[in-house]
Amino acid sequence: MTDLQTAIQHIRDHNDFIVGLLKEFASIPSISTLSEHEADMRTCADWVAQRLEKSGFENIQILETARHPSVYADWLHAPGKPTVLLYGHFDVQPVDPIDEWNSDPFTPEQRGENLYARGASDMKGQVLASLMALAALHHHGGGIPVNIKVLIEGEEEIGSPNLGTLMEAHKELLACDVALNPDAGIISPTQPSVTYGLRGLAYFELWVHGAESDLHSGIYGGAVHNPAQVLADLVSGMHDADGRITLPGYYDKVRTLPDEEREAIAKLPLSEAEFMRNAANPPALFGEKGYSFLEHTGARPTLEVNGLYSGFIGEGAKTVLPAKAMAKISMRLVPYQDPELVEAQLRQYLEENAPNTVTWELKLIGHGAPAVLVDRHTKPVQSISTALETTFGVEPVFKLEGGSIPVVGLMQEILGVQSVITGFGLPDDGLHGPNEKIHLPTFFRGIETLMHFFVLMGE
Ligand code: BES
Ligand code: ZN
């Protein structure tokens, strides 16, 4: 018999201990994209493995991949009950611009109700919340009411390039009824939400090459086409005046939002002013004509420049005509686009628009991820919805998120299972930016929500 109240009380009595654990976890600089942090990735995987052991898990394994390892564990002592595969990632994004942090990103600091650290919200906090919920049920709640498998990877923030191979190789080990993915968030501390869709991603580098080396801009400027200029022209041509993407056929497969979803989005309790505050106060919003800001981020695809590189960017002036220019360009995809399709469209756009004064090269970075939609009418989704309502005292709204989580598509494809996408991050947590934080009261409410979820799943 599960004694949920005792387990909840145990968490409430040990808040400081849990924050201490989160500080420990978040102090490991597990930046997956930077090779100088390879040893930290190992340290972090070991930390997770040790935490799983202390939480009562069995069969703990470090699963190797071509790059960073994943950690697996299970607890399979609820015969006749469903098996839930808990997914998480222990890797984090780089910390630049470091000067904009008010405290060291890997020296977690509590200020008011927030804990500041890289990964606090995305997603070490969420991983720890899940493990604490399970540990409390296991040690103080009379047992975990379902079978649990845990897979915590180290490559999410670089697009999970090796996770598909790992999942194929461990299909039996990972077999389950449903996945729980707490890598998203809610609308506000007082308004829970359930994520029923995520956008996908396709990421590229576009290189434009002119002369074989940099030139004097006085001697050659005017006669040799400047690759930075060409790149800027190409990039600016990728949107029209209405904010629509001009790649050939780009909108052909895009899912049309059903009227009832548009109506639900219009009713979401998030004002434009609040959205702008969460978005660090841009002077004004932008977006494809005919859609609201919540549709722009949840239901419509994008094309973004993530970085630009060319010529001289040091102090002062250098009269140079650069030999090359590069843009990092990514697209957030919606159902039923996919990364291969938009790559072909981008190539066609470049073939049709790049002048013969330069050569260009398009490189696909990572594997990309398709968009996902979750059926809201299943028991797991209803269980998370009920659990959120119980702990927050407010009925959750259903929301499409703009971010991407590659594993959700991989789980559908390889394991044939759906994911419940949840999490307790807030829109102003500063994911991937400076001063990332987690709101501790929401984090603790998240632990209780997950305990309710597991109990409901066992009924
Ligand atoms: N946790 C985020 C994704 C997310 C953010 C989901 C906000 C819902 C709401 C995740 O860690 C992330 O940042 N994913 C990357 C994936 C990419 C590297 C393939 C992303 O969305 O940029
Ligand atoms: Zn992230």
PDB file of all heavy atoms in Angstrom, residues 89 93 122 156-157 183 431-432, ligand 2:
ATOM      1  N   HIS A  89      18.086  14.355 -18.958  1.00  0.00           N
ATOM      2  CA  HIS A  89      19.443  14.574 -19.463  1.00  0.00           C
ATOM      3  C   HIS A  89      20.258  15.315 -18.416  1.00  0.00           C
ATOM      4  O   HIS A  89      19.733  16.195 -17.719  1.00  0.00           O
ATOM      5  CB  HIS A  89      19.463  15.276 -20.820  1.00  0.00           C
ATOM      6  CG  HIS A  89      18.928  16.684 -20.854  1.00  0.00           C
ATOM      7  ND1 HIS A  89      19.696  17.783 -20.533  1.00  0.00           N
ATOM      8  CD2 HIS A  89      17.722  17.176 -21.203  1.00  0.00           C
ATOM      9  CE1 HIS A  89      18.972  18.885 -20.701  1.00  0.00           C
ATOM     10  NE2 HIS A  89      17.770  18.547 -21.091  1.00  0.00           N
ATOM     11  N   GLN A  93      23.929  23.402 -21.343  1.00  0.00           N
ATOM     12  CA  GLN A  93      24.412  24.287 -22.407  1.00  0.00           C
ATOM     13  C   GLN A  93      25.645  25.060 -21.919  1.00  0.00           C
ATOM     14  O   GLN A  93      25.859  25.217 -20.717  1.00  0.00           O
ATOM     15  CB  GLN A  93      23.305  25.284 -22.763  1.00  0.00           C
ATOM     16  CG  GLN A  93      22.140  24.659 -23.513  1.00  0.00           C
ATOM     17  CD  GLN A  93      22.362  24.647 -25.019  1.00  0.00           C
ATOM     18  OE1 GLN A  93      23.131  25.447 -25.553  1.00  0.00           O
ATOM     19  NE2 GLN A  93      21.677  23.745 -25.697  1.00  0.00           N
ATOM     20  N   ASP A 122      17.080  23.409 -16.648  1.00  0.00           N
ATOM     21  CA  ASP A 122      17.199  22.600 -17.890  1.00  0.00           C
ATOM     22  C   ASP A 122      18.428  21.715 -17.810  1.00  0.00           C
ATOM     23  O   ASP A 122      19.489  22.093 -18.289  1.00  0.00           O
ATOM     24  CB  ASP A 122      17.253  23.540 -19.098  1.00  0.00           C
ATOM     25  CG  ASP A 122      17.204  22.801 -20.434  1.00  0.00           C
ATOM     26  OD1 ASP A 122      16.991  21.588 -20.444  1.00  0.00           O
ATOM     27  OD2 ASP A 122      17.409  23.462 -21.470  1.00  0.00           O
ATOM     28  N   GLU A 156      21.618  15.521 -24.797  1.00  0.00           N
ATOM     29  CA  GLU A 156      20.386  16.169 -25.290  1.00  0.00           C
ATOM     30  C   GLU A 156      20.665  17.535 -25.879  1.00  0.00           C
ATOM     31  O   GLU A 156      20.118  17.914 -26.914  1.00  0.00           O
ATOM     32  CB  GLU A 156      19.356  16.281 -24.155  1.00  0.00           C
ATOM     33  CG  GLU A 156      17.941  16.561 -24.640  1.00  0.00           C
ATOM     34  CD  GLU A 156      17.595  18.020 -24.845  1.00  0.00           C
ATOM     35  OE1 GLU A 156      18.353  18.910 -24.381  1.00  0.00           O
ATOM     36  OE2 GLU A 156      16.575  18.307 -25.482  1.00  0.00           O
ATOM     37  N   GLU A 157      21.529  18.287 -25.204  1.00  0.00           N
ATOM     38  CA  GLU A 157      21.757  19.670 -25.636  1.00  0.00           C
ATOM     39  C   GLU A 157      22.586  19.759 -26.923  1.00  0.00           C
ATOM     40  O   GLU A 157      22.785  20.841 -27.451  1.00  0.00           O
ATOM     41  CB  GLU A 157      22.409  20.487 -24.514  1.00  0.00           C
ATOM     42  CG  GLU A 157      21.570  20.590 -23.235  1.00  0.00           C
ATOM     43  CD  GLU A 157      20.304  21.429 -23.383  1.00  0.00           C
ATOM     44  OE1 GLU A 157      19.974  21.853 -24.510  1.00  0.00           O
ATOM     45  OE2 GLU A 157      19.645  21.655 -22.349  1.00  0.00           O
ATOM     46  N   ASP A 183      11.173  17.372 -19.214  1.00  0.00           N
ATOM     47  CA  ASP A 183      12.133  18.351 -19.731  1.00  0.00           C
ATOM     48  C   ASP A 183      11.451  19.610 -20.255  1.00  0.00           C
ATOM     49  O   ASP A 183      12.036  20.367 -21.011  1.00  0.00           O
ATOM     50  CB  ASP A 183      12.972  17.703 -20.852  1.00  0.00           C
ATOM     51  CG  ASP A 183      14.221  18.506 -21.192  1.00  0.00           C
ATOM     52  OD1 ASP A 183      14.606  19.385 -20.408  1.00  0.00           O
ATOM     53  OD2 ASP A 183      14.811  18.255 -22.254  1.00  0.00           O
ATOM     54  N   LEU A 431      16.562  29.580 -19.603  1.00  0.00           N
ATOM     55  CA  LEU A 431      17.171  28.386 -20.206  1.00  0.00           C
ATOM     56  C   LEU A 431      18.157  28.795 -21.291  1.00  0.00           C
ATOM     57  O   LEU A 431      17.836  29.636 -22.125  1.00  0.00           O
ATOM     58  CB  LEU A 431      16.106  27.502 -20.872  1.00  0.00           C
ATOM     59  CG  LEU A 431      14.896  27.046 -20.084  1.00  0.00           C
ATOM     60  CD1 LEU A 431      14.170  25.952 -20.846  1.00  0.00           C
ATOM     61  CD2 LEU A 431      15.267  26.576 -18.710  1.00  0.00           C
ATOM     62  N   HIS A 432      19.310  28.212 -21.277  1.00  0.00           N
ATOM     63  CA  HIS A 432      20.363  28.441 -22.272  1.00  0.00           C
ATOM     64  C   HIS A 432      20.965  29.838 -22.177  1.00  0.00           C
ATOM     65  O   HIS A 432      21.896  30.152 -22.927  1.00  0.00           O
ATOM     66  CB  HIS A 432      19.867  28.199 -23.721  1.00  0.00           C
ATOM     67  CG  HIS A 432      19.394  26.801 -23.967  1.00  0.00           C
ATOM     68  ND1 HIS A 432      19.245  26.295 -25.235  1.00  0.00           N
ATOM     69  CD2 HIS A 432      19.056  25.807 -23.120  1.00  0.00           C
ATOM     70  CE1 HIS A 432      18.804  25.040 -25.161  1.00  0.00           C
ATOM     71  NE2 HIS A 432      18.690  24.732 -23.871  1.00  0.00           N
TER      72      HIS A 432
HETATM   73 ZN    ZN B   2      18.008  22.798 -23.178  1.00  0.00          ZN
END
